Amino acid sequence: MLMWHWFKQKKSSIDLSFLKIDVHSHLLPDLDDGVKTFDESINLIKKFEDAGFTKLITSPHVHELYRNTAQNILSRFEETKLKLKEAGITLDLQTAAEYNVDDWFLNQFNNNEVLLTFAEKYLLFETNFFAEPLILNDLIFKLKTKGFTPVMAHPERYFYLQKQIARLEDLQQRGVYFQLNLVSLAGAYGPVAEKTARELIDRNMIQLVGSDCHNDLQFELLKKASKHKYFEKVMSLPLLNFTI
């Protein structure tokens, strides 16, 4: 793969220009457990731009701890875009959200509140890490019925899905896309999550990749992930990052 050979020989600390688009991050300030200030936000976004990204689709948490709505997310998004313009950053910043499957989200969904999606109504969601929500299959069906494409954030991290390939395959058969956290390849969430990530890659079950970047430390982990032997393999998949 010529592109990979070129990348390995780059002298810069990280070059992800061939990926172009990151679909999962927490870079809007003071909305969740991501960046807290505009300065942090601008500095991190500049690092993404320097690494070759042309578009960031940031995705603040929406759940019972961070009771964000489309309105307050979009307001902070517009403020951040103005700060980027003032800083001379031309990277295309967009926003969606990362919805946790809990009562707060279900109330928004059932009340037909505006939900923030990316691309063609791709809706990024996460669940409890320890136990599968009993309503998950029903929610997936309802999302599909309303025209959304459900995208499960970091499936490799859920304890109830690790070593459960049959259930992962079932979710995909129901129309769920999988978004891998690249830093899982760097061991950011432990060896079992890393092993699950490798298996999903081997089985061509990943449709999207993201940084899930919250802070400088996690951005630095992208450098480590880019050197992992599976990094080239995941980049050889027909990822939607290349086309959305």
Side-chain angles (χ1 to χ4, degrees):
M1 186 176 179
L2 181 59
M3 184 183 297
W4 174 245
H5 177 73
W6 172 84
F7 167 68
K8 288 196 296 185
Q9 297 198 0
K10 288 291 288 185
K11 298 297 184 181
S12 61
S13 57
I14 182 171
D15 188 310
L16 294 171
S17 56
F18 53 89
L19 182 56
K20 298 184 185 301
I21 300 170
D22 183 51
V23 301
H24 184 177
S25 63
H26 299 268
L27 302 179
L28 298 184
D30 202 26
L31 289 179
D32 56 15
D33 57 345
V35 299
K36 298 306 178 188
T37 68
F38 282 112
D39 283 345
E40 285 182 74
S41 177
I42 300 309
N43 289 337
L44 259 176
I45 291 170
K46 177 61 175 169
K47 288 184 178 182
F48 276 92
E49 183 177 60
D50 290 344
F53 285 93
T54 58
K55 182 190 296 185
L56 294 182
I57 304 170
T58 194
S59 45
H61 285 294
V62 175
H63 58 54
E64 290 182 325
L65 182 59
Y66 303 109
R67 297 191 172 193
N68 290 309
T69 64
Q71 289 74 25
N72 80 292
I73 291 172
L74 289 172
S75 176
R76 187 59 47 82
F77 168 65
E78 293 298 333
E79 291 178 281
T80 306
K81 284 205 302 182
L82 285 175
K83 299 287 186 181
L84 290 176
K85 185 176 181 180
E86 292 170 1
I89 296 173
T90 59
L91 174 149
D92 180 13
L93 182 70
Q94 300 182 11
T95 193
E98 181 182 12
Y99 292 98
N100 191 64
V101 179
D102 59 19
D103 288 341
W104 175 252
F105 166 63
L106 292 175
N107 285 336
Q108 292 190 49
F109 179 73
N110 291 330
N111 291 331
N112 294 312
E113 299 284 347
V114 174
L115 301 178
L116 296 177
T117 62
F118 65 98
E120 298 181 16
K121 292 190 74 173
Y122 293 171
L123 186 139
L124 185 69
F125 75 93
E126 66 175 348
T127 74
N128 181 292
F129 283 93
F130 299 98
E132 178 176 330
L134 296 176
I135 62 165
L136 185 55
N137 286 350
D138 184 56
L139 176 62
I140 291 166
F141 176 78
K142 288 179 178 178
L143 287 169
K144 296 284 289 182
T145 299
K146 290 193 174 185
F148 295 102
T149 296
V151 178
M152 176 177 270
H154 41 66
E156 74 279 4
R157 295 182 61 191
Y158 302 112
F159 295 112
Y160 68 87
L161 287 177
Q162 292 170 348
K163 304 179 183 179
Q164 300 296 326
I165 287 297
R167 177 55 173 149
L168 288 161
E169 290 175 339
D170 177 65
L171 288 170
Q172 293 223 304
Q173 289 168 3
R174 294 175 186 273
V176 177
Y177 286 176
F178 288 161
Q179 176 262 303
L180 178 81
N181 278 7
L182 287 171
V183 294
S184 292
L185 296 176
Y189 313 108
V192 180
E194 182 181 343
K195 182 178 179 181
T196 304
R198 295 198 309 265
E199 186 161 10
L200 289 169
I201 293 167
D202 283 337
R203 293 173 178 267
N204 298 324
M205 294 176 69
I206 300 299
Q207 287 75 47
L208 292 147
V209 296
S211 68
D212 199 1
C213 186
H214 289 62
N215 50 50
D216 281 307
L217 176 61
Q218 290 182 334
F219 183 85
E220 292 300 310
L221 282 172
L222 278 175
K223 298 178 185 178
K224 185 177 178 182
S226 70
K227 297 177 177 64
H228 193 283
K229 62 183 180 180
Y230 265 73
F231 193 81
E232 178 181 3
K233 191 164 188 176
V234 72
M235 289 304 149
S236 71
L237 299 178
L239 298 174
L240 294 171
N241 296 68
F242 302 134
T243 57
I244 59 174

